[in-house]
Amino acid sequence: MANFDFDQAEGLRRMLAGAKPRIVTFHPDNAFPVPAMAANDIVIQVSSSAISIKAAYSLIKRMSLELGRRPFGLLVTGANEAEARVVYANMAQATSRYLAVNLSSMGSVPMDEFVTKAARLGRAVIDAYPLAGASVAYRRLAGRLSLSSSVGTKRSYGSQNWHNQQSSHVGT
């Protein structure tokens, strides 16, 4: 996936330690870890760049072919709320129309200078700067993932309507 931030993924991985959700990272050119993905919720991380959007769409298309038609969560990173809303709306429309795949908004994580600062320290942003915008957004995402797995709503990320989720987004 283009522009994937492994420092942010590591922070999210630490937040979810011991919880039911699992995070599997892989390079999109490699084979999919199908057994791990088939039984779990899948959240695609995308930025607002054209390269990232194209890579995310291609990834969703490949996974749909490999795993069958199923919903995916979409997390928009490095964008303000308005940009994230546009990215989500456009991708949801395209995947619905051309792939017959439903996307659910998982929210957004704003561009945050504290992510870079935390990486320089060799720490996850949520550990080093717990009040940073990205940290707050990741905690909300972890809460949403944890809630969906504890309630047993597999592949149900909650409301698919962006407007119902505005209170869970962190602006820049």
Side-chain angles (χ1 to χ4, degrees), residues 89-128:
N90 289 340
M91 286 198 66
Q93 181 181 24
T95 58
S96 176
R97 175 184 277 169
Y98 300 111
L99 304 177
V101 169
N102 291 323
L103 291 183
S104 297
S105 173
M106 296 303 294
S108 62
V109 178
M111 180 78 67
D112 193 335
E113 66 190 55
F114 289 105
V115 172
T116 304
K117 289 180 180 181
R120 286 188 193 125
L121 296 172
R123 298 174 62 193
V125 68
I126 60 168
D127 293 335

Side-chain angles (χ1 to χ4, degrees), residues 80-91:
N80 65 42
E81 189 176 326
E83 292 170 330
R85 191 177 308 132
V86 169
V87 169
Y88 168 74
N90 289 340
M91 286 198 66

Side-chain angles (χ1 to χ4, degrees), residues 8 28 38 41 58 62 64 74 80 89 94 106 111 121 129 132 135-136 138-139 142 153 160:
Q8 290 179 348
D41 296 328
S58 296
R62 281 184 55 209
S64 293
L74 189 71
N80 65 42
M106 296 303 294
M111 180 78 67
L121 296 172
Y129 303 102
S135 296
V136 172
Y138 280 123
R139 278 194 300 280
T153 55
Q160 293 185 17

Side-chain angles (χ1 to χ4, degrees), residues 23-37:
I23 296 176
V24 178
T25 57
F26 59 92
H27 192 278
D29 293 334
N30 296 340
F32 292 128
V34 174
M37 297 172 79

